[in-house]
């Protein structure tokens, strides 16, 4: 199974709700950076992880792919004795929803392994119990997310966009970034983006220049407060000619929009030559959501 990373082209964050969550309005795009998840029948539910940031991923029952297998087993009667293997290509704690991608891939994979035959909608509503970004990892493409980000509406769009993702070694904890935003809001209005209309119009036209100009993320100021070095990365990306530069979700991954593939190659090479991030990846968007690559 293969599941993609996401970037938030637009992310506006409402006030903290009594249940601790925030209402969001977001536009997600699935981009071509993937985790591959393999499920094999076994004598216990186990998980192994390899690849980028593997050492940071939990190997116990808190792993999101393990939780996904356990939850689907509980609801369907499937046999949860499965060996889960995750090959990570998505940065861990990077703001690209890698854990959610693994959960989505595991849901699709366990459904196929057990022949459960659940629809995407059924898997998505189960996935929302695991994390707000899981339904989008199943959906893929580009979508408007409301609620906690789990209520999705497909977006009219055309064309492909070329992204350069600048990775940072030290991750940022999503709850810590939201807490920092709440703290900043105690002393003044923080939140610059409220309406995704411009992003949606740019997507409808397939206009990369307009999309670059309209990217916005309310979590960016909080991410920059916790990781100030990201400011230089954003500035460098813009100086190198990116159409737009934004912290992805809660960061620290920074997404730079290129004019086209050729520009992305040049931008990635130029960025890699500066001492502003730990790694650089190119990725096209939009791409499909979690899917089965092969069954044995
Ligand atoms: P988001 O963008 O959804 O806020 P993120 O991309 O910042 O998330 P993830 O890589 O999804 O962060 O992981 C966040 C935390 O979740 C990690 O620090 C890790 O402890 C935990 N986690 C649990 N299962 C997984 C998994 N399969 N892969 C990665 N992290 C996992």
């Amino acid at each position: 199974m293969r599941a993609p990373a996401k970037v938030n082209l637009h992310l506006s964050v409402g006030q903290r709700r009594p249940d601790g969550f925030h209402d969001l309005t977001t536009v997600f795009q699935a981009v071509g950076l993937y985790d591959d998840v393999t499920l094999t029948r076994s004598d216990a539910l186990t998980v192994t992880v390899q690849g980028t940031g593997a050492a940071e991923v939990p190997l116990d029952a808190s792993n999101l792919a393990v939780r996904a297998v356990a939850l689907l087993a509980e609801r369907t009667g499937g046999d949860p004795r499965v060996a889960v293997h995750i090959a990570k290509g998505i940065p861990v704690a990077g703001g690209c929803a890698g854990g959610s991608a693994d959960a989505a891939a595991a849901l699709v994979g366990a459904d196929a392994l057990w022949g459960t035959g659940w629809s995407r909608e059924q898997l998505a509503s189960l996935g929302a119990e695991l994390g707000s970004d899981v339904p989008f990892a199943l959906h893929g493409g580009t979508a408007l997310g409301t609620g906690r980000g789990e209520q999705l509406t497909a977006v009219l769009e055309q064309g492909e966009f070329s992204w350069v993702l600048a990775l940072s070694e030290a991750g940022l904890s999503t709850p810590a970034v939201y807490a920092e935003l709440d703290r900043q809001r105690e002393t003044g209005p923080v939140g610059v983006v409220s309406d995704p209309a411009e992003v949606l119009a740019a997507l409808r036209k397939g206009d990369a220049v307009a999309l670059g100009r309209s990217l916005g993320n309310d979590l960016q100021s909080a991410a920059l407060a916790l990781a100030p070095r990201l400011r230089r990365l954003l500035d460098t990306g813009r100086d190198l000619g990116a159409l737009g530069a934004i912290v992805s979700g809660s960061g620290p991954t920074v997404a730079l929009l290129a004019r086209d593939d050729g520009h992305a190659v040049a931008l990635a090479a130029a960025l890699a030559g500066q001492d502003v991030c730990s790694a650089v990846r190119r990725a096209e968007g939009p791409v499909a959501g979690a899917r089965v690559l092969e069954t044995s």
Side-chain angles (χ1 to χ4, degrees):
M1 272 68 55
R2 168 162 278 196
K6 59 86 180 162
V7 294
N8 299 85
L9 310 180
H10 170 101
L11 177 54
S12 52
V13 181
Q15 294 299 330
R16 187 170 183 274
R17 307 189 310 205
D19 65 2
F21 287 107
H22 296 75
D23 281 316
L24 307 180
T25 303
T26 188
V27 180
F28 296 107
Q29 182 158 89
V31 298
L33 200 64
Y34 300 99
D35 280 0
D36 285 325
V37 176
T38 315
L39 304 188
T40 321
R41 288 183 198 279
S42 180
D43 36 12
L45 177 53
T46 59
V47 62
T48 48
V49 185
Q50 71 177 78
T52 326
E56 319 307 324
V57 178
L59 297 177
D60 58 14
S62 71
N63 186 293
L64 277 160
V66 171
R67 289 181 54 208
V69 171
L71 186 62
L72 190 64
E74 190 188 302
R75 300 293 163 85
T76 64
D79 183 349
R81 292 173 301 169
V82 169
V84 179
H85 181 70
I86 303 172
K88 291 220 67 93
I90 305 175
V92 177
C96 296
S100 302
D102 297 347
L107 286 176
V108 169
D111 175 74
L113 189 67
W114 301 330
T116 314
W118 275 30
S119 67
R120 285 264 151 175
E121 289 69 29
Q122 285 175 300
L123 292 176
S125 73
L126 192 68
E129 296 181 32
L130 298 162
S132 313
D133 291 341
V134 179
F136 179 70
L138 287 159
H139 187 283
T142 307
L144 180 69
T146 53
R148 289 181 287 120
E150 84 289 10
Q151 292 160 26
L152 300 176
T153 314
V155 156
L156 272 181
E157 61 181 333
Q158 52 178 317
E160 291 214 316
F161 298 96
S162 300
W163 296 96
V164 173
L165 302 179
L167 278 43
S168 291
E169 216 134 73
L172 276 177
S173 142
T174 304
V177 174
Y178 276 96
E180 172 62 19
L181 177 65
D182 294 337
R183 201 194 59 74
Q184 290 182 353
R185 283 179 167 172
E186 280 168 18
T187 52
V190 179
V192 284
V193 283
S194 53
D195 185 356
E198 283 181 28
V199 165
L200 296 176
L203 289 166
R204 225 167 19 242
K205 288 190 232 140
D207 183 341
V209 173
L211 181 62
R213 250 190 264 121
S214 54
L215 297 172
N217 178 5
D218 273 353
L219 289 176
Q220 183 156 307
S221 63
L224 289 175
L226 298 178
R229 68 203 141 70
L230 294 181
R231 200 176 290 280
R232 206 175 130 227
L233 172 53
L234 290 166
D235 290 343
T236 306
R238 291 191 194 103
D239 291 347
L240 291 172
L243 299 176
I246 197 170
V247 170
S248 175
S250 55
T253 302
V254 163
L256 305 170
L257 183 59
R259 284 193 302 275
D260 51 34
D261 262 2
H263 183 216
V265 172
L267 187 57
L271 200 67
Q274 313 261 336
D275 188 25
V276 286
C277 58
S278 66
V280 179
R281 303 265 187 278
R282 283 187 296 116
E284 288 288 308
V287 298
R291 63 193 196 279
V292 176
L293 286 186
E294 57 182 273
T295 49
S296 54

